Amino acid sequence: MSTKIARSFAAGLLATLLAALCAACGGGGGSAGTTGPGAASPSPRVATLALVAGSAMEAGNIDASGAAARFGHPAGIAADSAGNLYLADRDNCSIRKIAASGAVSTIAGSPLRCQSIDGAAGVAGFGFLTAIAASSDGRLYATDGLSVREIDPAGNVRTIATLDTATVVGVSDIPYFYGSGIAVDGFANVVVANAVGIRKISATGAITMLDGVARLDNIATVLGSHAFQQRGLAAAKDGTVYAGEFASTVSRVEPSGTKIALAGLSGGAGYADGLAGAARFDHVIALTLDAGGNLYAVDAGNNLIRKITPDRVVSTVAGTIGAAALQLGNGPGALPALGGLTGDGKGTLYAISGNAIVKITLP
């Protein structure tokens, strides 16, 4: 074999070996080594679910840490900037705190005082807690039947407003008017929703209607059930308010008073991800905002956590339709009996599932 041919043969052999080696190693931008039977596929980015405190199925009233704690039908949840969570624990007629360490304590109220009583932590009582919100100054606000309650950092409780009902109304119809959602905007205004309207309570106590009415003439004009219905509510720093409408939509109320339908179809309850009116919900009972303007909703009829982007694109971030048992770990997971929802604004949500508090870390 001539020297020229030998060199050509050696070069060809080396190129073949290098190509084979590269195929085995794969490449940063190619698909070599990633296809074919048995090849690994990249894991999808999903939420992860973990227990914070309580038990999904077992109710009670125990101050402890993590899974040893017990709650009685918590109806609302809020978070402060220090990582503490606060619960409107309805059946225990109490405001509960979950510290960032996971320790649970009672800061006001008692199951022995299930009526609206103002006073210090050891004296105050709550009748029918439905929702809770945290202010940047450390105060909490809760809807309690027709009352709007303020809880200061020391646990002192006072009533700052009482919701109206109707000129003609029966005793059994009163729960229809209970406060069903509460939030605090960037101007320290407390925003409260019920079945007939959304109002803003200023720091001085002045009340302004943002949507709907404060009072009905006659409850008989309301068709269908007059039972209490939870209603999702969130407020942005600029005063914009987001509300779940009972049928199946989510709306935005601008500081100017202009109301815009964001997503869903009125009267079209169901389930569908999609853009704006193409999406479907089934009873949005809680809402929370993140720093990017994304809105997260508890879709109670479907047992799902939904996301609505500023561009009005709706997706599902956690939960399984029809699930009857809590399922933690990698998403979508399962969140039966979904209740309140809050977040830290930085990619973590906290949801009530039965009598459990679940942390949802978004991808």
Side-chain angles (χ1 to χ4, degrees):
M1 183 182 297
S2 69
T3 301
K4 185 176 181 179
I5 294 174
R7 287 178 179 172
S8 177
F9 176 78
L13 179 60
L14 180 59
T16 301
L17 289 172
L18 287 173
L21 183 60
C22 288
C25 294
S31 60
T34 62
T35 59
S41 57
S43 299
R45 299 178 69 221
V46 297
T48 57
L49 290 72
L51 181 70
V52 175
S55 165
M57 302 301 294
E58 185 177 334
N61 185 30
I62 301 174
D63 285 342
S65 292
R70 290 293 180 269
F71 308 104
H73 191 190
I77 184 169
D80 68 15
S81 59
N84 301 302
L85 300 175
Y86 301 91
L87 304 178
D89 192 348
R90 179 179 297 166
D91 289 353
N92 288 317
C93 308
S94 304
I95 304 297
R96 313 285 294 279
K97 176 182 178 179
I98 307 175
S101 65
V104 176
S105 59
T106 300
I107 62 174
S110 165
L112 300 178
R113 296 189 299 277
C114 289
Q115 55 183 310
S116 291
I117 304 171
D118 288 346
V123 175
F126 301 92
F128 191 82
L129 287 163
T130 59
I132 190 168
S135 180
S136 60
D137 65 0
R139 296 176 187 273
L140 303 173
Y141 296 91
T143 42
D144 178 25
L146 294 174
S147 301
V148 181
R149 318 292 297 283
E150 178 192 82
I151 305 98
D152 73 14
N156 299 305
V157 180
R158 70 184 183 105
T159 300
I160 63 169
T162 301
L163 304 182
D164 217 335
T165 58
T167 304
V168 179
V169 64
V171 174
S172 63
D173 299 318
I174 297 298
Y176 181 75
F177 298 94
Y178 283 177
S180 55
I182 192 165
V184 181
D185 69 16
F187 304 101
N189 297 304
V190 179
V191 184
V192 179
N194 71 353
V196 298
I198 302 172
R199 73 273 296 141
K200 177 177 67 177
I201 306 169
S202 73
T204 62
I207 298 177
T208 304
M209 293 303 299
L210 301 178
D211 183 56
V213 297
R215 180 183 182 87
L216 293 181
D217 290 330
N218 192 330
I219 186 65
T221 61
V222 177
L223 303 178
S225 172
H226 294 170
F228 168 75
Q229 298 182 61
Q230 198 81 32
R231 186 178 186 187
L233 189 74
K237 291 182 179 180
D238 67 354
T240 300
V241 172
Y242 300 85
E245 308 294 349
F246 298 119
S248 47
T249 60
V250 177
S251 297
R252 181 176 71 216
V253 182
E254 305 284 358
S256 64
T258 302
K259 185 176 180 178
I260 301 168
L262 284 184
L265 177 68
S266 181
Y271 167 71
D273 287 338
L275 177 64
R280 295 291 181 271
F281 304 91
D282 187 0
H283 199 182
V284 174
I285 66 169
L287 293 167
T288 191
L289 281 162
D290 70 11
N294 297 297
L295 190 65
Y296 296 88
V298 167
D299 185 350
N302 290 314
N303 279 344
L304 301 174
I305 305 293
R306 315 289 294 281
K307 176 182 179 180
I308 308 170
T309 71
D311 294 326
R312 302 167 67 191
V313 176
V314 178
S315 59
T316 300
V317 299
T320 301
I321 295 176
L326 180 64
Q327 181 181 329
L328 304 175
N330 288 336
L335 297 161
L338 266 172
L341 182 71
T342 191
D344 64 1
K346 299 177 288 187
T348 302
L349 303 175
Y350 297 90
I352 297 171
S353 179
N355 291 295
I357 310 306
V358 178
K359 178 181 179 180
I360 304 169
T361 303
L362 300 175

